Amino acid sequence: MTPDASKGMSIAVTIAMVYAVFGAVWVLAGDTLLAALVEDRATMTMIQTWKGWAFVALSAGLIYVVGSRLLAAVEESERRYRLLFADSPEALVLYDPERLAVVEANAAAARLFGYEVQDIQGMRVADLLTDGGGEALRRELPRLRAKGGGSGLWQVRCRDGRVLDVATHGQEVRVTGRTLRLVLLMDVTARLRAEIQLLRTLDDLAAANGRVRELSHAISHDLQEPLRQISGFVQLLQRRYQGKLDDEAEQFIGFAVEGTGRLKALIRDVERFAIETAAQPVAVDANRVAAGVVDSLKPQIEDAGATVTVAPLPTVSADPEKLAVVFHALLDNAVKFRRLDVPCQVSVSAERHPGGAVFQVRDNGLGIEPEYIDSIFSLFRRLHTRDRIPGNGTGLALARKLVEAHGGRIWVESVAGGGSIFSFTLPEP
């Protein structure tokens, strides 16, 4: 017997005992008192009759009070039942695990299956599941009984034939002495289909990325060989006929040599952009990475007369090689796009934020016009001609790609009076 049933039985026994004791005291005490005070039989009979009516009245009053309280308790119980079960917006089903039959279902569950509430009550659980679902549930019941409750994912068949994916969470309950299972049903069909579609899209995207990498590698490999031949013969012409041709011819040969050199660099940058994708993050000291990049850029920094200062940087979760590429792109960009009327100054700093760090590369260079803020990270996007500033426009695009591969983001802001601030985020280790 459950604790609630035992409590109810105890209350009923207590009320019966109180009523029995009250009746016995009323009868015995009343008769003894009358026998001592009244000798006339007719008078005693009349008094006993009135005593009986008084007992009936008191009993009726007691029954009325107790009954009113019990009815109020029943109404409160029904109100709670309606609130927690019948009128719940969640689909709830109560079924008998022995007979595998629905004992009761609320309106939300009936709507889920496409039935009326009275129609679904008494149905076999197997009739609500897809083929083989009933046997699967029967095999699962011993485990569910052992745990007392549990969750699962089932396919159910609605009245109109639709098949839904339903997540369930069941709990064993006792109702009027019977062991039943109360199950919460949640329709997850749309979510599962969206997840499946997302996985397929990710697989297709991964395959497409793989094909793009293969294509870019093949194109760069196939282009490099004829380009090397063209470059070699053009350079041979330049060396052999230097000083033997007129100025215009030598200028044309110079253009050809320069063009093949740019094309080599462009093919190399395209291949690098296509291949540099996957990151293998580890806990890395950003100070060491930044120092290595500054050292590798030392010739360019000295030629530009630039000053690069690096503030203390935090340890972050990143691929060291990929992080070095990001720093190289931003620092090289800051040195190249300097102003000629002021000494070039570049600073690298970082601030910790919840979940990671924000790095900043600040310069006092040419700055960026507001209309180019959003497009500057596009591949091959250039804001100046090659005659003025060399490059192919791949550095910032590659930096964005690598930062996003780490789960971060990168952006740029113009500084009043000239210069810009490139910021990017990386997660904590």
Side-chain angles (χ1 to χ4, degrees):
M1 185 177 293
T2 63
D4 289 342
S6 299
K7 183 178 180 181
M9 182 65 71
S10 175
I11 293 174
V13 170
T14 301
I15 293 174
M17 291 294 295
V18 169
Y19 185 75
V21 171
F22 174 75
V25 170
W26 181 273
V27 172
L28 293 177
D31 289 348
T32 302
L33 185 61
L34 283 175
L37 298 177
V38 180
E39 295 181 357
D40 183 53
R41 284 187 170 273
T43 304
M44 182 178 292
T45 300
M46 183 181 65
I47 293 174
Q48 285 181 336
T49 300
W50 283 106
K51 181 170 70 87
W53 283 112
F55 182 77
V56 170
L58 290 173
S59 298
L62 179 62
I63 292 172
Y64 173 78
V65 172
V66 173
S68 298
R69 290 179 177 270
L70 288 177
L71 286 175
V74 170
E75 290 177 356
E76 176 64 18
S77 177
E78 290 181 350
R79 187 188 68 81
R80 292 181 180 178
Y81 163 77
R82 288 192 299 271
L83 180 64
L84 298 177
F85 186 87
D87 295 339
S88 173
E90 304 291 345
L92 297 171
V93 170
L94 196 64
Y95 75 91
D96 187 339
E98 299 297 333
R99 298 187 301 113
L100 289 182
V102 177
V103 175
E104 197 162 355
N106 67 355
R111 285 194 301 270
L112 178 66
F113 290 103
Y115 291 92
E116 297 295 329
V117 174
Q118 60 270 20
D119 295 333
I120 200 172
Q121 293 176 356
M123 290 183 63
R124 296 188 311 133
V125 174
D127 294 336
L128 299 174
L129 300 174
T130 54
D131 296 340
E135 288 302 318
L137 178 60
R138 195 179 296 278
R139 291 193 301 269
E140 189 74 4
L141 277 175
R143 184 183 68 85
L144 295 176
R145 288 196 187 99
K147 294 175 61 177
S151 302
L153 184 64
W154 302 86
Q155 282 195 328
V156 302
R157 192 180 302 280
C158 300
R159 189 174 191 173
D160 58 7
R162 290 179 299 118
V163 175
L164 301 179
D165 295 298
V166 175
T168 64
H169 181 74
Q171 185 66 41
E172 190 175 279
V173 294
R174 293 280 296 180
V175 179
T176 61
R178 301 166 61 190
T179 300
L180 305 177
R181 290 192 66 81
L182 178 64
V183 181
L184 169 66
L185 308 174
M186 293 169 287
D187 183 4
V188 295
T189 307
R191 190 188 76 188
L192 287 181
R193 289 176 181 172
E195 290 177 353
I196 292 172
Q197 184 60 42
L198 177 60
L199 291 175
R200 289 175 180 171
T201 302
L202 291 176
D203 289 340
D204 293 343
L205 183 59
N209 285 337
R211 290 192 293 270
V212 168
R213 286 195 295 271
E214 292 176 3
L215 179 63
S216 64
H217 180 72
I219 290 176
S220 64
H221 181 270
D222 292 342
L223 287 177
Q224 288 284 4
E225 182 59 29
L227 183 60
R228 277 195 293 269
Q229 293 181 2
I230 295 172
S231 177
F233 281 115
V234 169
Q235 290 176 6
L236 181 62
L237 285 173
Q238 186 182 41
R239 288 195 301 269
R240 177 169 294 183
Y241 294 101
Q242 187 173 13
K244 299 179 181 180
L245 301 175
D246 57 32
D247 293 341
E248 188 176 23
E250 290 191 357
Q251 185 181 29
F252 290 160
I253 294 177
F255 287 157
V257 172
E258 182 185 355
T260 55
R262 286 206 311 267
L263 186 55
K264 280 184 180 180
L266 183 61
I267 293 174
R268 184 176 60 252
D269 289 344
V270 169
E271 183 178 14
R272 186 183 185 191
F273 181 83
I275 294 176
E276 295 274 9
T277 303
Q280 298 179 346
V282 296
V284 58
D285 183 2
N287 293 287
R288 296 180 59 184
V289 177
V293 172
V294 171
D295 188 59
S296 68
L297 288 171
K298 192 173 182 179
Q300 293 94 311
I301 294 173
E302 291 178 349
D303 288 344
T307 302
V308 178
T309 58
V310 180
L313 303 178
T315 298
V316 292
S317 177
D319 186 317
E321 294 182 1
K322 306 295 189 294
L323 180 57
V325 172
V326 174
F327 275 131
H328 188 282
L330 298 181
L331 290 174
D332 183 56
N333 192 74
V335 172
K336 283 196 301 187
F337 292 90
R338 64 187 181 275
R339 291 163 56 189
L340 300 179
D341 57 336
V342 295
C344 177
Q345 294 183 343
V346 183
S347 64
V348 181
S349 61
E351 293 182 359
R352 286 196 174 276
H353 285 262
V358 177
F359 291 83
Q360 288 188 337
V361 177
R362 180 190 295 261
D363 64 65
N364 63 342
L366 297 175
I368 302 169
E369 297 297 329
E371 59 266 29
Y372 300 120
I373 291 291
D374 295 331
S375 63
I376 194 172
F377 294 100
S378 300
L379 188 62
F380 303 133
R381 189 72 170 95
R382 293 181 51 84
L383 304 184
H384 303 273
T385 63
R386 288 187 179 87
D387 294 337
R388 184 177 179 187
I389 299 175
N392 295 315
T394 59
L396 293 181
L398 180 58
R400 181 180 70 173
K401 184 177 182 181
L402 295 179
V403 168
E404 291 177 350
H406 286 82
R409 66 186 187 95
I410 186 170
W411 67 96
V412 62
E413 302 168 89
S414 288
V415 178
S420 56
I421 302 174
F422 284 86
S423 304
F424 64 94
T425 62
L426 289 176
E428 289 181 339

